[in-house]
Amino acid sequence: MNSTDQQMIHSRSRAAFLGLALGDALGATTEFMLPAEIRSSYQIHNRIIGGGWLGIKAGQVTDDTEMSLALAHAVLDAGAWNLQQIADYFVAWMRSKPIDIGATVRKGIRTYLHNGTLEMPFNEWDAGNGAAMRMCPVALLSYGNSELLKRYTLEQAHLTHHHPLSDAGCLCIGKMLHAAVAGADRFALHELTRELVRQHPNFRFNNYNGQASGYIVDTLRTVFHFLFTTADFEECLVGVVNQGGDADTTGAIAGMIAGALYGEGSLPRHWMKKLNRTVRTDIELITPRLLTLAPAFDQTGWSS
Ligand code: MN
Ligand code: MN
């Protein structure tokens, strides 16, 4: 692999992680709103202004980005994939009194805290999107190896969510990120969504019904509908967050995939200016380090 390819991979990886944070910061404003309420308040919500039910500052992020950063730092500090360290960092994050935490996430972290369990049992109510929102660092840490992607994905997901639809959704996001970071186009990404729909037909997203809830099926149908009916990063994210519902998380997941697909140059400047400085700097520093731990990398550089 030559150095231009390496630069592209680094750049698209940064765009994925920054895209996640931008989607979170943008979508937090319209989380739990109905599309009609959003229209009457903003006409179109397309600026990072904070507010929302959490009352955040403009550019502040929520649990989606925070848990992704906690996972990334856990692995970087351990020097290799380490599920226990990830669980410990999730505990520390929960104890830091985050601005928001999902019920299933809280239950998973509490269970680990009380009896050291690293895998929640199957639960039919665990089909939320809380494991899927953490997929960006997982995809970067396993970049170049689909078996490792699968192992890391299921391990980190089952810390909090253990459900076949969450598992399948997380894996699909991971595969789309691997492909997009490698330079795949929208048609290749669409084929990966078709694979998911063949396995689990409820993810079908033609005839999108407008439901944008935290249920992983609604979340991914929303993300895929806007990803494949828009032409750039900004248009995709604006479409997603104006659907309301779990808008920060649909925004975060759309942001990571669209960021990797369209690249760093597509991230709107006026949004990047608003994004919390500490978060932005942290993401820019850790993204190349996550790739260094990926199997596609060896001591002398990228393997070909
Ligand atoms: Mn959130
Ligand atoms: Mn959310």
Side-chain angles (χ1 to χ4, degrees):
M1 191 181 294
N2 66 40
S3 69
T4 317
D5 291 340
Q6 288 182 39
Q7 278 170 22
M8 292 292 283
I9 287 165
H10 275 92
S11 172
R12 284 189 289 252
S13 298
R14 253 190 326 266
F17 217 138
L18 289 168
L20 146 72
L22 288 174
D24 186 5
L26 181 74
T29 307
T30 53
E31 189 178 23
F32 301 134
M33 292 176 78
L34 294 167
E37 293 172 336
I38 298 169
R39 269 196 301 279
S40 72
S41 299
Y42 304 107
Q43 296 198 337
I44 294 174
H45 170 55
N46 58 9
R47 289 178 306 132
I48 292 183
I49 53 172
W53 75 282
L54 293 169
I56 61 166
K57 294 192 192 104
Q60 192 182 342
V61 295
T62 73
D63 51 342
D64 311 68
T65 307
E66 288 170 354
M67 289 199 88
S68 297
L69 286 170
L71 188 153
H73 281 287
V75 177
L76 289 173
D77 291 349
W81 183 260
N82 184 322
L83 194 60
Q84 180 140 13
Q85 181 115 324
I86 294 171
D88 287 335
Y89 278 46
F90 285 174
V91 168
W93 169 75
M94 185 172 78
R95 285 181 166 155
S96 75
K97 303 217 182 329
I99 186 156
D100 192 21
I101 180 169
T104 308
V105 165
R106 186 194 296 276
K107 188 173 57 147
I109 298 174
R110 280 202 177 145
T111 302
Y112 168 71
L113 201 51
H114 289 136
N115 53 30
T117 310
L118 289 168
E119 182 173 21
M120 293 295 281
F122 164 81
N123 183 329
E124 66 171 312
W125 303 106
D126 284 1
N129 57 20
M133 72 191 190
R134 309 189 294 251
M135 279 306 298
C136 182
V138 177
L140 301 184
L141 285 161
S142 60
Y143 183 71
N145 185 323
S146 54
E147 282 306 306
L148 217 50
L149 170 68
K150 188 170 178 185
R151 193 194 124 203
Y152 290 177
T153 295
L154 298 181
E155 284 187 6
Q156 79 84 13
H158 294 177
L159 284 173
T160 54
H161 293 66
H162 193 158
H163 192 284
L165 292 174
S166 166
D167 292 350
C170 287
L171 274 170
C172 182
I173 295 167
K175 288 178 193 172
M176 290 173 83
L177 289 172
H178 274 197
V181 165
D185 62 17
R186 58 201 292 122
F187 301 103
L189 298 191
H190 193 265
E191 183 50 38
L192 291 169
T193 67
R194 289 163 59 97
E195 210 176 89
L196 173 68
V197 170
R198 275 194 294 273
Q199 277 179 326
H200 297 284
N202 3 1
F203 283 101
R204 270 173 68 112
F205 58 95
N206 45 356
N207 296 320
Y208 174 59
N209 64 2
Q211 295 296 318
S213 79
Y215 174 45
I216 186 65
V217 173
D218 287 347
T219 297
L220 287 190
R221 295 181 80 214
T222 303
V223 168
F224 296 157
H225 170 76
F226 287 102
L227 185 67
F228 296 113
T229 55
T230 54
D232 63 32
F233 180 91
E234 183 166 355
E235 195 189 346
C236 173
L237 276 269
V238 168
V240 164
V241 303
N242 280 273
Q243 210 54 49
D246 197 358
D248 62 322
T249 308
T250 53
I253 296 171
M256 59 180 101
I257 300 171
L261 172 64
Y262 295 113
E264 255 179 317
S266 74
L267 305 178
R269 287 240 185 93
H270 64 119
W271 290 357
M272 287 297 288
K273 263 193 225 152
K274 291 281 181 188
L275 184 61
N276 178 283
R277 273 287 136 167
T278 312
V279 169
R280 179 179 174 172
T281 308
D282 195 15
I283 290 171
E284 288 172 344
L285 285 173
I286 63 171
T287 301
R289 297 179 57 211
L290 294 171
L291 287 169
T292 305
L293 291 179
F297 193 83
D298 66 30
Q299 293 306 317
T300 55
W302 292 87
S303 54
S304 49

